[in-house]
Amino acid sequence: MRLVMIGAPASGKGTQAHKLTRHFELDHISTGEMLRAEEAKRSELGMVVESYLKHGQLVPDSLVVRLVGERLIHNHLAQGVILDGFPRTLNQALALDKALQELGQVIDAALLIEVPDSAVLERITGRRADPETGRIYHLKFSPPPPEILHRLVQRDDDTTEVMQARLGTYHERIAPVVDHYRNRRLLIAVDGTPAPEEVFQELLGRLSSLNIRG
Ligand code: AMP
């Protein structure tokens, strides 16, 4: 099963991608996580992408496509993969189609998690990450245990100002990607506002009706 996961920042796409990864035993490729890891390592690529991440701007297509391409080749695609946060532009979607074609693979479904901008902004201001475990909490919706509160951090790009820029870019760039998958009858759009488990069950239900093999 080869899936792509599309959704605004804080739409819950990362959470759903993790759940689907565990459920179907997929390889999880999150471009956001990969880029943040490069930044933390202070690798050459990390230094280049640092200011894009900080300002909520998309990293140039060529860099992300190369990163994903390398991961796809090293992954055992036959066992299935979920791409989380990629593609984010039409160029990336076309590059992905080409890379998969060379590997004799296709995308089975593009999952779109829809959440209104107002809800995204509310979610983002309370989001905190635990650097030790990588777990994401929300001060209101998914409160962390009090004893780890002191070590939680807010992502640099999780401020309201950066968020508004990210949402603007997201809507502008994702529209042609959504059309690309809708035209190919691969789009599965779900409401991302209910509780995560409910969204997950909806995704499972919609995926089960596809009859995907391999
Ligand atoms: P995410 O964790 O998916 O919200 O991504 C965090 C940040 O990483 C984004 O705001 C972008 O700066 C960068 N990024 C992640 N995925 C991509 C992508 N497919 N294309 C370009 N930039 C990306």
Side-chain angles (χ1 to χ4, degrees):
M1 178 183 285
R2 278 157 294 273
L3 305 172
V4 303
M5 178 69 100
I6 306 168
S11 59
K13 73 178 157 52
T15 304
Q16 297 302 328
H18 278 112
K19 281 175 173 285
L20 290 166
T21 299
R22 277 195 300 273
H23 188 85
F24 292 112
E25 297 183 8
L26 303 173
D27 289 324
H28 179 207
I29 302 181
S30 157
T31 42
E33 281 174 17
M34 286 166 84
L35 291 167
R36 281 191 292 279
E38 292 293 327
E39 191 189 13
K41 273 196 297 193
R42 315 257 341 124
S43 68
E44 208 174 306
L45 175 64
M47 313 274 248
V48 175
V49 301
E50 191 175 12
S51 80
Y52 291 98
L53 295 181
K54 210 181 198 110
H55 297 106
Q57 288 163 349
L58 290 185
V59 169
D61 286 342
S62 56
L63 296 183
V64 190
V65 164
R66 201 181 67 208
L67 204 61
V68 172
E70 283 164 8
R71 269 290 288 270
L72 282 177
I73 288 167
H74 292 111
N75 262 304
H76 302 289
L77 265 177
Q79 285 168 26
V81 67
I82 184 158
L83 287 152
D84 165 8
F86 182 94
R88 262 185 163 89
T89 66
L90 185 58
N91 264 341
Q92 292 179 12
L94 297 174
L96 175 63
D97 288 347
K98 195 163 159 244
L100 288 177
Q101 198 183 8
E102 281 164 14
L103 295 162
Q105 308 285 350
V106 289
I107 291 294
D108 295 302
L111 311 176
L112 171 65
I113 314 285
E114 295 185 296
V115 175
D117 287 2
S118 55
V120 164
L121 286 168
E122 192 190 4
R123 287 178 180 188
I124 216 74
T125 48
R127 189 155 78 166
R128 297 290 183 279
D130 180 354
E132 277 184 27
T133 62
R135 259 200 80 167
I136 306 291
Y137 297 93
H138 191 284
L139 298 178
K140 183 169 151 196
F141 304 128
S142 168
E147 64 274 17
I148 65 159
L149 205 56
H150 65 280
R151 69 169 189 236
L152 300 186
V153 293
Q154 188 170 26
R155 263 167 56 176
D156 278 350
D157 57 354
D158 272 359
T159 61
T160 308
E161 217 172 58
V162 171
M163 200 57 204
Q164 271 160 346
R166 291 178 72 195
L167 278 174
T169 310
Y170 168 76
H171 290 301
E172 186 187 311
R173 303 291 180 82
I174 211 68
V177 176
V178 170
D179 286 346
H180 176 74
Y181 290 118
R182 186 183 286 120
N183 292 340
R184 298 169 70 207
R185 302 194 185 290
L186 293 175
L187 190 73
I188 294 181
V190 300
D191 177 8
T193 52
E197 188 54 32
E198 214 176 301
V199 177
F200 181 56
Q201 292 306 325
E202 173 71 15
L203 284 171
L204 285 186
R206 302 280 296 275
L207 281 170
S208 70
S209 62
L210 286 185
N211 213 359
I212 298 169
R213 270 177 282 148

